Structure formats: structure tokens, C-alpha cells
Amino acid sequence: MEVFKFGGASVRDAESVENVAKIVSLNKHKELLIVVSAMGKTTNALEQLTEAYVNGSDDVHVIFEDVKQYHQTILNGLFQESHPIHDEVANAFVEIDWILEDEPHEDFDFNYDQIVSIGELVSSKILSAYLNTTDLQNEWLDARSFIQTDNTYREGQINWDKTCGLINESIPPMLKKRFIVTQGFIGGTSENFTTTLGREGSDYSAAVFASCLGADAVTIWKDVPGILNADPKRFNATRKYNELPYSEALEMAYYGATVIHPKTIKPLQNAGIPLLVRPFLTPEESGTIVTETSVVVDTPSVIVKPGQVLLSLSAKDFSFITEDHLSSIFRTFADLSIKINAIQISALSFSACFDWNSKRFTELSTILDHEFKLKY
């Protein structure tokens, strides 16, 4: 049994969906659980829609119509007009219509998860329907019924015992009969609200399903030949790693290598499940395999993280930065779910780099301003 994960680039248009069907066909002798992301740049568009909705912008319906039209173009390229998938997709988008008719929830992150998650639901419905038309029989499953999280919106923390119990109760018998298509990135709470697992969290979803099912392997299909030592969009003459140990892949993901979501590696390492990163345009190529290997990595990786903010703090009375200060600072970062990418501490100051998020930065600076002088 294996898990395949297809990202947004691999289902960005009708031709790409057809290519996914070819890859699945090449592996039709396997028991496959297929995890799919939102199509193309849909997540970005739905993020813009959420911002516009919460801010009361006039652009709300323009943005939403663009999203619907984008998916309609893909549908028109794959299905006849009479196919029921047209109604299924329209009904999924109606959920956003209902949200937009109401006043926004006071928690932005709650609004975000209820709207942005629709992208994965729509893409998985389209892929599932298309595979069935090509005689690749599959069953569509709602990941929210299996991946159970707490109420930390946009960073849902998985209840592993409950999640694995639900997965193992239902999914293995289904896989004996047909493929399964489900969503990445999303989970559900005990109150039946939708959560998301963090940006680009579909890789993590694949690892969760694989870990609970004891899969033989997870394959992430990407628009690159494997894991490279640098982003080919930024650097020339990049080199591919044929094999990486879990520890090296963990470090690369943690520091911002976008080819793998940071949370993906650990559950696979714990279960001893290999991770493969392979190119969806040339599926015959082996890509990169991540395992518990002793291979020595002698090619350094270069990682660029855009959108960083540098914040420096010092005590208002010019006293030293003490352990009590550090405890207060780190507690504030943790409470706001802000991940620090780099820190520097001197006798009189504390400096940190982290991803820019205007809302969370405002909350952070408001809290820290009571005790420290801030420069950013």
C-alpha cells in the first residue's frame, strides 16, 4: 500500500489532471491512497478572498467569480456538460456563498479555514471524477472525517490516537477494492468545523495517512526532478540529491526548503516509511528518496526565505537580557504561533527573524511593548 500526493502544480489545468491519470494508471496494480492539493494557485486566490471578505472589500465577488471560472475551464476540458461533477463543484462553492452572506467571525483564522479549505475539496472531487471516467475506479473521501485536530485554526494540532483509529477502521478494506482520493491540508474538529494544517500542509496530510496505515512508501509528485540543493527558479546549475537521510531532509524543510512541508518527515521517520520526491512530467525518473540512510551529504543546500521580519528587543531600563526576559519573550511567540527562524542574543538585546504576518506582528509588538523597547 502506498500514498501518492499531487500538489497544485500537478493539477493546475485539464492537461495536468490527465497527466495525473497516466501516473495512476502506471501504478494501477498497487493499493493507492491519493492526496491532492488545491488546483494551481487556488489557495492564494482563496486567501485573497478571505482578506477581502473580512475587510469588507468590494472585490469579494470579483475574486470569487475568478476562482469559479478557473475551475469551470478545467471542468470543460475534462467532462461533458451533462456530467454530474459540474453540480458537485457548484455545490461545493455554494458553501463559500453562504459564508460570504454572513458577517465575518471575529477570529480571522477561523474564517480562513472555512473558506480556503474549499479549494482542496473541489480539486479532489474533480480528480476523483476524472479518474473514474478513465476506468481508474476510486472512492472519494472527506479528509475532515479522518484527520481530527484541535481548534487551532490554520495550525491544527492532530489528535493522533483518534485520527489513526478512524483511518484504520475504515480505509484498509476500501483499498482492497479501489483507489481512494482525498484532500491534503485540511482536518476537522470535534464540533465539525474545518481546520487547516499550515500552509503547504498537504505533504503532512500524506504523511499522516501513511503513518497510520503503515504504508510502504509516500511519493510526492512535484514539478522538479527531486530534492535539489537550491531553488531552480532562483539559482542556475542546481544539483539533485539522489538519496537523503531523514535528518538532513528535516533540517532542510525546517529552514525553508519549500519542496517538503516541515512536519512531513517526522511521522514517516518514526514509522520507517520511505519518502520519494519525483517529477510528475517524467514519472519514469527515480527522483529523490529520503530514508534512514547513512549516505554522506557533501553538497550544501542554499535556502532563501523571503518575507522575513527582523525584530530587536531591549529592556527599557537598559538592564541585561536575562533568562526571565527570554522566558517571557518565547512564551509570547509560542502563544501567537509565531515560529522563529533565527535568533541572536547579546547582553542588552534579543533579535529574531520570523515570517511576516501583519496581524500576528501587531499582536506580538503590542504585548512586548509593555516590557521592551522594540526596533524592527
Side-chain angles (χ1 to χ4, degrees), residues 229-231 235 251-258 301-305:
N229 72 316
D231 184 348
F235 297 92
E251 293 283 1
M252 292 173 64
Y254 175 82
Y255 282 107
T258 56
S301 59
V302 180
I303 296 166
V304 177
K305 280 188 74 72

Side-chain angles (χ1 to χ4, degrees), residues 10 13 67 72 79 112 191 205 226 312-313 321 342-344 357:
S10 60
D13 52 31
V67 170
Q72 189 59 53
F79 303 97
Y112 179 100
E191 299 91 353
S205 299
S312 295
L313 308 173
I321 294 293
I343 62 173
Q344 182 182 54
N357 178 303

Side-chain angles (χ1 to χ4, degrees), residues 88-265:
E88 289 184 41
V89 169
N91 290 336
F93 282 131
V94 165
E95 293 187 35
I96 294 181
D97 278 316
W98 291 339
I99 293 171
L100 298 181
E101 289 174 2
D102 292 333
E103 288 296 313
H105 192 279
E106 61 183 13
D107 182 355
F108 177 87
D109 292 344
F110 176 85
N111 296 307
Y112 179 100
D113 282 2
Q114 310 320 304
I115 293 174
V116 175
S117 58
I118 300 298
E120 271 69 19
L121 293 169
V122 169
S123 66
S124 60
K125 285 178 182 289
I126 292 174
L127 178 61
S128 174
Y130 183 73
L131 292 178
N132 279 327
T133 64
T134 61
D135 205 29
L136 295 167
Q137 298 303 311
N138 72 90
E139 185 160 349
W140 181 89
L141 292 184
D142 190 331
R144 297 172 296 183
S145 299
F146 297 93
I147 295 184
Q148 297 294 293
T149 77
D150 65 4
N151 293 78
T152 308
Y153 297 101
R154 294 185 75 176
E155 288 285 347
Q157 303 300 305
I158 291 176
N159 181 329
W160 278 89
D161 289 340
K162 191 173 181 181
T163 295
C164 284
L166 291 167
I167 287 173
N168 285 315
E169 180 182 347
S170 303
I171 290 180
M174 296 180 190
L175 285 169
K176 299 291 184 186
K177 301 175 183 177
R178 56 181 66 87
F179 302 137
I180 287 175
V181 174
T182 191
Q183 309 80 41
F185 185 49
I186 67 174
T189 70
S190 56
E191 299 91 353
N192 291 323
F193 291 118
T194 303
T195 53
T196 61
L197 307 180
R199 198 65 160 84
E200 309 294 343
S202 292
D203 293 353
Y204 185 35
S205 299
V208 172
F209 279 109
S211 177
C212 292
L213 291 167
D216 296 319
V218 173
T219 300
I220 298 176
W221 296 92
K222 303 286 288 187
D223 57 353
V224 288
I227 299 178
L228 305 176
N229 72 316
D231 184 348
K233 296 175 184 175
R234 294 180 179 269
F235 297 92
N236 297 320
T238 57
R239 295 175 63 184
K240 179 174 76 75
Y241 299 108
N242 293 321
E243 189 175 8
L244 282 174
Y246 290 120
S247 58
E248 192 75 18
L250 269 169
E251 293 283 1
M252 292 173 64
Y254 175 82
Y255 282 107
T258 56
V259 72
I260 308 172
H261 187 276
K263 292 182 180 178
T264 304
I265 308 296

Side-chain angles (χ1 to χ4, degrees), residues 357-371:
N357 178 303
S358 59
K359 177 177 178 292
R360 290 183 180 177
F361 182 77
T362 299
E363 294 173 348
L364 178 75
S365 57
T366 299
I367 295 170
L368 293 176
D369 185 58
H370 293 299
E371 189 175 358

